[in-house]
Amino acid sequence: RLPVPKLEDTITRYLNAQKPLLNDDQFRKTEELAHHFEKGIGRELHEQLVAQDNQNKHTSYITGPWFDMYLKAREPVVLNFNAFMSFNPDPKSEYNDQLVRATNMTVSAIRFMKTFRAGLLEPEVFHLNPEKSDTEIFKKIIRFVPSSLSWFGAYMVNAYPLDMSQYFRLFNSTRLPKLNRDELYTDEKAKHLLVLRNGNFYTFDVLDRDGNMLKPSEIQAHLKYILSDNSPAAAFPLGYLSSENRDTWALLRKNLLDNGNEEALQKVDSAVFCLSLDDFPIKDFVHLSHTMLHGDGANRWYDKSFNLIITKDGTAGINFEHSWGDGVAVLRFQNEVFKDSTKAPAISPQSQPASVDSSRAVQKLDFKLNDALKAGITKAKQKFDASVEALSLNLIQFHEGGKDLLKQKKVSPDAVAQLAFQMAFFRLYNQTVATYESCSTAAFKHGRTETIRPASIHTKKCSEAFVRELSKHSTEELQKLIVECSKYHGRLTKEAAMGQGFDRHLFGLRYLALSKGIAVPDFYQDQAYARLNHNIISTSTLVSPAVQLGGFGPVVPDGFGVGYQVHDDWIGCNVSSYPTRNGKEYLQCIYKSLEDIFNVLKGKKIGS
């Protein structure tokens, strides 16, 4: 179970995170409020939270509040919450044809779903010592241990089973817009796929009445039929509505239902997943990021648990809605689909589609739109276009080193990437700001995420040395500063992964106060608390053989969204920003920071 941290630990960790962001006077005031909270109302709330947690052993203390946080948010899901991860191309280039890849990935996705529902999907396990635990012999032995004890057997060899309670929401699931708080909807009985092309909606069954998958050649035939349908693009594409403010969308949805679209919407909401087929090839990585993060708004249904997007040249990616689950579940799905569709593809470029009557099997959804709905779609499109217009995406690839070299120098690769983000911001804006790195707590029952706070007194000191005082420090001294940062970041990461951060705990206490009608304590009304939760640098990392790159929008208007990957011998970084910040300049500074850090670690003298 996810532990509720000790209140005194949470307050200490909170103050450590505030230290680099505040001057002495501000810090004294924040410290006073924090200790006052710890001794008074905070203590009462903490005891209530612990008692409540003890009465709800089937879940975690963060589950309810976290779902609420996402589902009560009224901002559009696109750019604010949905993230993307794009697939690597199929190693066999002729398999990157749009129809071939769409068929193979759809088949692999259904195979994954059926394996999961049959209870046969291999458990997700985090192996700290894979030589011992990630072996056939260990799997054979652990199979015979009753499940009440098997986790302990795994624990003995440093293997940690991860929570998989989110996985069922991958399929047949949608976030439904409702006034004030959305709902998650799942209908596991539905057997059809939703396909979008040119803003038009198509569905066809991918499972028969016994739950068996259609032959791949039939799925191929139906997709070919959709790809060759030359109906004009939708005049009023419904997809834009799923990019609206949630209350606006909830009212428009009610209008849709009242206007005789119940059956069509039911088809959309209950579909196994949404396959979006785009009619253009990808130009470059920036174009790829824009396509997967938001696309044109007409050919997506942002409320589906995920959209599998495949462009004209067979480039594939996933855009996923975030309330139902976190990156861990989506990444496992992507890894399995990539592996299965490339190693055991259902069809080849030479395969012929089955001779079936697709015109009967494929249903094109027809929505009845009145003037209010048409106006609603037009307005949604204008808002969407304006938001996307304001968004910049920029990328770099740093090829002067990666994980291998950093491990050889005994520093944490993640710590070095995070230090570069701090150093770059300091170089560009001359300050240290609130920074967020997400860390999975899936090692616990119904765990979600915890925040790592990468901006510390150590990164601040190191940034100052590299940016302002280079001439005062020897290479050895600079190396020591990097090692300090790495050690501290390693500690924060370990704490967060073990459910010992401070953000979720403080969030849970505040949520409890609000739910009991208690006035929000002064501690939460401190400007410093608000500033710490205004995350100007929001970061998330993943590395996988299936994934080319990932990204998301800034979480605040004056922020950066940083998706990054530290590979064996290179580092990739994808930055989103709005006009108040310059993402291109920030990336140039990140590149310079990485260069400086790597040179210092190699023992080279660097110039300013």
Side-chain angles (χ1 to χ4, degrees):
R1 297 198 64 232
L2 183 70
V4 178
K6 290 180 180 157
L7 185 59
E8 50 274 30
D9 290 348
T10 287
I11 297 298
T12 303
R13 289 169 182 145
Y14 168 75
L15 290 171
N16 285 343
Q18 285 286 19
K19 193 119 212 192
L21 310 182
L22 304 172
N23 64 33
D24 291 349
D25 286 349
Q26 290 168 326
F27 185 75
R28 263 197 299 277
K29 186 190 161 206
T30 291
E31 192 175 34
E32 201 176 303
L33 281 166
H35 290 313
H36 186 69
F37 176 74
E38 185 190 343
K39 292 188 186 84
I41 182 73
R43 174 68 51 201
E44 288 168 42
L45 289 168
H46 174 75
E47 281 163 12
Q48 284 179 34
L49 184 71
V50 170
Q52 198 179 45
D53 185 54
N54 286 334
Q55 282 166 356
N56 292 281
K57 293 214 153 99
H58 62 286
T59 186
S60 74
Y61 77 90
I62 200 61
T63 300
W66 211 240
F67 273 125
D68 257 13
M69 183 267 304
Y70 275 123
L71 296 171
K72 282 182 173 169
R74 301 291 84 192
E75 301 90 342
V77 292
V78 64
L79 299 190
N80 293 306
F81 295 105
N82 286 29
F84 85 87
M85 296 192 266
S86 72
F87 286 98
N88 272 315
D90 192 305
K92 301 184 289 294
S93 62
E94 68 277 17
Y95 279 77
N96 289 308
D97 168 85
Q98 186 176 27
L99 175 61
V100 173
R101 202 163 197 205
T103 305
N104 282 329
M105 286 195 147
T106 298
V107 169
S108 293
I110 296 163
R111 281 178 183 163
F112 178 93
M113 177 182 82
K114 285 180 65 63
T115 308
F116 172 67
R117 287 188 179 160
L120 296 170
L121 192 66
E122 198 174 302
E124 188 69 17
V125 180
F126 180 60
H127 298 276
L128 270 178
N129 190 350
E131 292 76 37
K132 267 189 179 174
S133 56
D134 201 4
T135 61
E136 285 312 311
I137 187 153
F138 174 73
K139 287 176 193 173
K140 276 201 177 95
I141 295 166
I142 207 79
R143 239 178 223 133
F144 297 107
V145 182
S147 61
S148 57
L149 294 172
S150 58
W151 66 272
F152 191 71
Y155 178 72
M156 294 307 285
V157 288
N158 244 342
Y160 297 88
L162 302 183
D163 178 76
M164 294 172 77
S165 63
Q166 298 172 1
Y167 283 47
F168 82 99
R169 292 259 191 224
L170 271 164
F171 304 103
N172 302 96
S173 296
T174 297
R175 173 175 174 158
L176 300 179
K178 303 273 176 179
L179 288 175
N180 305 321
R181 185 187 190 273
D182 291 356
E183 269 170 32
L184 290 175
Y185 169 83
T186 302
D187 175 6
E188 291 187 0
K189 292 192 289 296
K191 296 176 164 49
H192 61 281
L193 180 69
L194 171 67
V195 184
L196 300 187
R197 178 168 169 256
N198 271 332
N200 292 311
F201 288 60
Y202 305 84
T203 64
F204 64 85
D205 283 356
V206 286
L207 300 170
D208 67 18
R209 62 169 62 136
D210 300 322
N212 299 312
M213 182 170 61
L214 251 62
K215 287 197 194 93
S217 59
E218 291 182 35
I219 291 174
Q220 181 189 5
H222 299 336
L223 290 175
K224 185 178 180 182
Y225 172 81
I226 292 168
L227 282 168
S228 46
D229 177 19
N230 44 24
S231 310
F236 292 95
L238 215 69
Y240 284 114
L241 295 180
S242 67
S243 74
E244 252 293 8
N245 165 284
R246 302 308 291 176
D247 282 341
T248 308
W249 172 204
L251 294 169
L252 286 163
R253 182 186 161 88
K254 192 178 176 318
N255 188 339
L256 271 169
L257 292 168
D258 295 346
N259 211 42
N261 295 295
E262 194 168 347
E263 204 180 312
L265 276 174
Q266 174 61 24
K267 282 270 191 197
V268 171
D269 298 335
S270 62
V272 173
F273 63 88
C274 176
L275 173 66
S276 298
L277 299 171
D278 284 348
D279 271 355
F280 54 82
I282 293 295
K283 300 198 230 15
D284 54 34
F285 281 139
V286 171
H287 183 221
L288 171 69
S289 299
H290 280 290
T291 301
M292 300 304 171
L293 183 60
H294 54 76
D296 68 352
N299 216 39
R300 303 283 181 271
W301 194 255
Y302 300 109
D303 289 354
K304 277 309 265 182
S305 51
F306 70 89
N307 286 242
L308 171 59
I309 302 157
I310 302 182
T311 62
K312 194 79 180 160
D313 57 359
T315 304
I318 277 184
N319 176 295
F320 67 97
E321 197 281 311
H322 219 322
S323 65
W324 65 270
D326 304 303
V328 184
V330 182
L331 191 60
R332 170 71 187 270
F333 171 68
Q334 275 193 264
N335 287 343
E336 297 283 3
V337 166
F338 183 75
K339 191 166 117 189
D340 190 62
S341 65
T342 54
K343 298 244 166 71
I347 67 161
S348 75
Q350 288 72 43
S351 301
Q352 288 303 309
S355 42
V356 286
D357 186 359
S358 293
S359 67
R360 289 186 59 184
V362 177
Q363 183 191 0
K364 187 174 174 201
L365 299 184
D366 187 30
F367 294 95
K368 301 174 191 69
L369 303 176
N370 56 28
D371 289 347
L373 287 164
K374 287 178 180 174
I377 291 171
T378 305
K379 194 163 181 203
K381 181 184 185 325
Q382 288 165 351
K383 284 190 192 170
F384 175 86
D385 289 345
S387 304
V388 164
E389 185 61 33
L391 179 84
S392 295
L393 291 170
N394 294 279
L395 301 100
I396 53 159
Q397 290 185 348
F398 175 83
H399 284 283
E400 291 172 44
K403 200 183 285 178
D404 290 348
L405 191 132
L406 295 171
K407 284 188 164 168
Q408 196 188 317
K409 300 288 177 193
K410 299 196 168 38
V411 290
S412 145
D414 190 58
V416 165
Q418 289 289 346
L419 174 59
F421 306 152
Q422 291 301 314
M423 213 178 269
F425 196 92
F426 190 77
R427 186 179 289 280
L428 197 54
Y429 298 106
N430 205 17
Q431 63 179 144
T432 296
V433 291
T435 307
Y436 181 108
E437 178 183 358
S438 75
C439 175
S440 171
T441 50
F444 300 98
K445 189 180 182 72
H446 293 190
R448 292 285 313 233
T449 57
E450 181 51 272
T451 310
I452 299 169
R453 292 291 183 173
S456 66
I457 51 172
H458 305 284
T459 60
K460 190 176 186 175
K461 191 175 165 190
C462 191
S463 299
E464 283 170 351
F466 271 78
V467 176
R468 280 196 198 151
E469 307 159 352
L470 206 49
S471 54
K472 294 185 194 166
H473 296 279
S474 67
T475 305
E476 240 169 41
E477 286 167 356
L478 293 172
Q479 284 174 345
K480 271 199 186 114
L481 289 172
I482 296 169
V483 169
E484 279 293 297
C485 291
S486 172
K487 276 187 189 150
Y488 187 70
H489 187 77
R491 195 182 104 194
L492 291 183
T493 305
K494 203 177 226 163
E495 286 174 353
M498 297 313 291
Q500 294 292 333
F502 66 84
D503 280 84
R504 299 298 173 272
H505 187 196
L506 290 178
F507 181 85
L509 296 174
R510 182 169 184 266
Y511 179 90
L512 185 66
L514 290 169
S515 69
K516 298 254 161 136
I518 300 169
V520 175
D522 294 347
F523 169 78
Y524 291 106
Q525 302 193 44
D526 181 8
Q527 265 181 326
Y529 180 84
R531 212 172 318 148
L532 182 68
N533 287 288
H534 182 89
N535 291 299
I536 289 174
I537 307 173
S538 182
T539 73
S540 188
T541 185
L542 57 107
V543 171
S544 143
V547 174
Q548 196 165 26
L549 80 162
F552 49 92
V555 297
V556 292
D558 58 338
F560 291 118
V562 184
Y564 65 104
Q565 296 144 302
V566 185
H567 297 274
D568 290 343
D569 55 358
W570 66 283
I571 296 171
C573 197
N574 190 355
V575 168
S576 61
S577 57
Y578 293 119
T580 51
R581 297 277 181 201
N582 190 326
K584 214 172 201 139
E585 280 186 0
Y586 183 49
L587 267 176
Q588 285 165 350
C589 291
I590 290 173
Y591 195 93
K592 166 143 181 63
S593 303
L594 285 169
E595 219 168 28
D596 287 352
I597 294 165
F598 272 81
N599 281 332
V600 163
L601 289 171
K602 290 172 187 168
K604 292 182 185 167
K605 185 118 184 76
I606 55 169
S608 54

